[in-house]
Amino acid sequence: MADVTLGDADGKSLSVPLQRSNAVGLFRLTDRVFHTVTFVAALFVLILLGAIILSLIVGAWPSIAKFGVGFLVGERWSVNKEIFGALSPIYGTLMTSLIAMVIAVPIGLGIAIFLTELCPLELRRPIGIAIELLAGIPSIIYGIWGFFTLTPFFGQTLLTASLILAIMVLPFITAISRDVFATVPPVLKEAAYGIGCTTWEVAKNVVLPYTRVGVVGGVMLGLGRALGETMAVTFVIGNSHSIAASLLSPATTISATIANEFQESDGVYRSSLLELGLLLFVITFFVLAAARIMLMRLERKAGA
Amino acid sequence: MASYASRRAANRIMMGLCWAATLFGLAWLALILVTLFWNGLAGINLDLFTQDTPGPNTDGGGLRNAIVGSLIMTALGVGLGTPIGILAGTYMAEYGRYSRLTFYIRFVNDILLSAPSIVIGLFIYAALITEGVEHRIVGYSAIAGSLALAVIVIPVVVRTTEDMLLLVPNPLREAASALGLPRSHVVMKIAYKAARAGLITGVLLAVARAAGETAPLLFTVQSNQFFSLDLTKQMANLPVVINNFAGKGYANWQQLAWSGALIITLAVLTLSITARALSAQRTQK
């Protein structure tokens, strides 16, 4: 407690009551300062959210004012004529994320069931960590890896992007499903095993129904990631502002459009890209909020 | 009720699929790491760390400016974000543990934690840079990039700080208070000490996250083909250099992109494994 001095600056010792009141005064001051500083820091998190939304709205305003709702439903993206419609990036974002989830959710749940029910105890931790490492690899790495190893076979298409996204969100879904599976009271599973259920029947009839809300929450969290993923997609999707019927044709997503075009843009073009960013933030905000609410519901159930 | 044999068969099939799913997941990890090493190792030599990024199709050149730039901006971003994150987490766990405000902050923080990083880049651009406008605060610069990384770092640190402080047993705090320690000292000298390993884990995870981020840097620092230590100017950094070099079709640039990718991946994976080892130690105690 070097910061509490029990004497004055000259080193002369003070009378005991004075020393005490000095020390208590100092304590009170640090208490108040510390409390205030932590409070302000905590408020800063809320301010940050407000600042993000506000500055994106301000930045996007020229585009919002010019195109209005047409921005959301227009399919035309013409830089020369300064007409910007976001329908094809929106379509690409939703479609790639959706396909990614269709691939990743069953696999992620499978891995989670493996880790909680089948895996030998001594392998559980290393395999869990290995899967989580997949989550730690930066998205630019997935991007260039996909660009050099997947596009030679699949081309730059919507499907290639979905595949990369699936690999990226797999660890999130696995990690959360594993954690929510672990909240199932052992006695429920033991009872089911006790009446002769197979492992699959326990997973299907006991574990999954019990953790349904949490699993959906985890899936939504993965979806939130997939929707906003930028670098991995940009390299493999082909960046074409069109809505093609085939999944094997080039497309674009909101984030890929921003990443690709921002540096060459100016004026309304640039503010359209900012509006795309705002749109992406709003979409992911709602998806992530829904995910959190579901996970909280499960927590309350587990706590009760 | 299905027959015993068919139930057993269903179980075999589904459990086989679970095994297959796990192998599938691990195979991707292996495949990515193997390709990275295969392509990246060839370019790892001394020049990589002593020379700056070259022009297309030239001999020599390395990633010195990008590596140094990444180190500087990651350090600054984590340095700016960590104190705010730790203080905010402290408020949530120590002062407002049961308050409504903490509930909302936690909710918002969890959303920021998974918010698209490209939006964070746009935010810093829109808030500080905005080209062609008179009130612009900074230009494309290392400062702006570091701020963007700080915004990425804050939610990570808030989350781990709160979680770790909540794990500190209350009797420790009560004992300290009973000895007459004021609240702020209880937090700083008791709670922080007890949660130290966890707090360090949080910071390591934040470094790992910030080091690999590309999207927030694209519109805030861009890059620089030269070596620069000036924080108010554009600065080279590994992720953006990889991004710029990978897709252009020049052999020497592609090689550098792979080597840079290998460096980042190794750094990030080392950090997250260290972080995990630290937190594992903690939970075993």
Side-chain angles (χ1 to χ4, degrees):
Chain A
M1 276 186 281
D3 48 342
V4 181
T5 44
L6 294 177
D8 63 5
D10 305 332
K12 282 184 292 185
S13 57
L14 302 165
S15 64
V16 171
L18 203 56
Q19 277 183 11
R20 174 169 302 165
S21 79
N22 274 359
V24 169
L26 196 62
F27 275 162
R28 206 165 280 156
L29 184 71
T30 33
D31 249 15
R32 198 164 298 161
V33 170
F34 192 67
H35 191 154
T36 316
V37 169
T38 56
F39 180 69
V40 170
L43 278 188
F44 186 75
V45 175
L46 295 182
I47 295 170
L48 209 52
L49 177 75
I52 291 174
I53 295 174
L54 195 71
S55 52
L56 286 180
I57 291 180
V58 171
W61 192 252
S63 159
I64 298 175
K66 184 169 178 196
F67 302 114
V69 189
F71 187 77
L72 299 179
V73 293
E75 200 188 326
R76 187 134 175 243
W77 186 270
S78 164
V79 177
N80 295 334
K81 301 214 168 90
E82 295 212 321
I83 297 171
F84 300 105
L87 198 61
S88 59
I90 294 174
Y91 166 81
T93 298
L94 298 180
M95 206 61 192
T96 48
S97 304
L98 205 71
I99 300 174
M101 300 315 285
V102 169
I103 302 173
V105 168
I107 298 176
L109 289 180
I111 301 178
I113 292 176
F114 174 83
L115 284 174
T116 48
E117 302 294 328
L118 295 174
C119 184
L121 268 179
E122 58 272 22
L123 280 181
R124 211 166 270 194
R125 225 182 120 70
I127 294 183
I129 289 179
I131 299 286
E132 282 167 31
L133 285 185
L134 266 176
I137 296 176
S139 60
I140 177 88
I141 309 295
Y142 283 97
I144 80 160
W145 181 81
F147 180 70
F148 286 115
T149 57
L150 290 185
T151 53
F153 302 103
F154 300 100
Q156 293 191 319
T157 68
L158 198 134
L159 196 65
T160 322
S162 311
L163 194 59
I164 283 272
L165 279 181
I167 302 169
M168 288 197 68
V169 296
L170 183 62
F172 292 102
I173 296 171
T174 307
I176 293 183
S177 314
R178 184 194 55 188
D179 292 348
V180 299
F181 286 174
T183 65
V184 178
V187 65
L188 286 184
K189 288 195 282 185
E190 284 156 14
Y193 281 124
I195 57 167
C197 285
T198 62
T199 314
W200 166 240
E201 285 163 349
V202 171
K204 188 181 63 170
N205 301 322
V206 178
V207 175
L208 277 176
Y210 188 88
T211 54
R212 195 177 47 225
V213 189
V215 169
V216 175
V219 169
M220 303 276 274
L221 213 57
L223 180 62
R225 288 268 168 175
L227 289 169
E229 183 41 52
T230 309
M231 302 321 295
V233 173
T234 308
F235 272 99
V236 299
I237 196 162
N239 304 303
S240 141
H241 280 275
S242 57
I243 301 179
S246 164
L247 298 180
L248 292 173
S249 39
T252 191
T253 66
I254 295 180
S255 49
T257 304
I258 302 172
N260 269 312
E261 304 182 20
F262 197 82
Q263 270 154 24
E264 298 112 58
S265 65
D266 56 3
V268 179
Y269 187 13
R270 180 157 283 186
S271 91
S272 299
L273 292 174
L274 283 165
E275 189 176 352
L276 275 183
L278 178 66
L279 196 65
L280 181 64
F281 190 62
V282 172
I283 296 174
T284 49
F285 184 94
F286 283 112
V287 171
L288 293 170
R292 284 298 162 195
I293 290 169
M294 285 176 171
L295 287 171
M296 273 189 301
R297 282 216 326 236
L298 183 85
E299 253 165 52
R300 214 172 302 146
K301 186 164 142 194
Chain B
M1 196 71 204
S3 76
Y4 177 67
S6 75
R7 285 174 52 211
R8 203 167 70 153
N11 188 51
R12 285 256 171 87
I13 292 170
M14 293 318 291
M15 292 305 112
L17 287 178
C18 288
W19 273 94
T22 310
L23 290 179
F24 179 84
L26 293 177
W28 284 115
L29 180 66
L31 200 58
I32 291 173
L33 290 181
V34 167
T35 352
L36 264 181
F37 272 99
W38 182 263
N39 294 300
L41 268 184
I44 301 277
N45 51 39
L46 198 61
D47 286 355
L48 197 68
F49 302 97
T50 56
Q51 296 191 18
D52 294 337
T53 44
N57 283 334
T58 51
D59 284 334
L63 293 169
R64 178 183 68 141
N65 50 348
I67 295 171
V68 171
S70 272
L71 287 175
I72 291 175
M73 281 186 279
T74 307
L76 266 179
V78 174
L80 288 169
T82 304
I84 298 176
I86 288 192
L87 287 170
T90 305
Y91 177 82
M92 294 157 74
E94 298 287 337
Y95 290 106
R97 192 178 285 198
Y98 305 105
S99 79
R100 201 93 198 126
L101 179 70
T102 299
F103 175 82
Y104 289 125
I105 294 173
R106 190 181 301 134
F107 190 77
V108 166
N109 189 68
D110 279 346
I111 286 176
L112 289 180
L113 191 64
S114 326
S117 56
I118 193 165
V119 172
I120 307 297
L122 287 180
F123 158 58
I124 295 292
Y125 171 85
L128 302 180
I129 300 175
T130 310
E131 269 177 312
V133 176
E134 279 190 14
H135 68 255
R136 67 188 287 186
I137 300 169
V138 289
Y140 295 110
S141 61
I143 294 266
S146 307
L147 286 173
L149 292 182
V151 176
I152 305 266
V153 162
I154 289 172
V156 181
V157 177
V158 169
R159 182 69 195 266
T160 43
T161 304
E162 196 206 357
D163 286 352
M164 292 306 151
L165 286 177
L166 288 178
L167 287 179
V168 175
N170 260 331
L172 276 183
R173 296 193 183 88
E174 287 156 8
S177 294
L179 288 173
L181 224 53
R183 193 65 196 271
S184 56
H185 288 237
V186 174
V187 174
M188 287 188 278
K189 303 217 148 81
I190 308 296
Y192 280 173
K193 241 176 215 160
R196 196 173 47 200
L199 298 182
I200 295 173
T201 306
V203 176
L204 288 180
L205 289 177
V207 176
R209 179 86 197 272
E213 282 293 353
T214 314
L217 300 180
L218 280 176
F219 325 127
T220 53
V221 246
Q222 298 184 334
S223 192
N224 188 336
Q225 87 188 87
F226 305 108
F227 185 84
S228 160
L229 294 174
D230 188 345
L231 295 181
T232 61
K233 298 267 165 57
Q234 291 175 259
M235 194 185 268
N237 58 90
L238 274 177
V240 175
V241 166
I242 295 173
N243 178 58
N244 294 345
F245 278 17
K248 296 289 193 304
Y250 304 117
N252 70 327
W253 277 16
Q254 285 183 358
Q255 182 55 56
L256 284 174
W258 275 116
S259 304
L262 181 62
I263 294 175
I264 289 196
T265 311
L266 287 183
V268 167
L269 291 189
T270 312
L271 279 167
S272 42
I273 292 175
T274 316
R276 260 167 242 289
L278 263 179
S279 68
Q281 255 176 25
R282 223 204 102 75
T283 40
Q284 272 164 17
K285 253 190 279 182

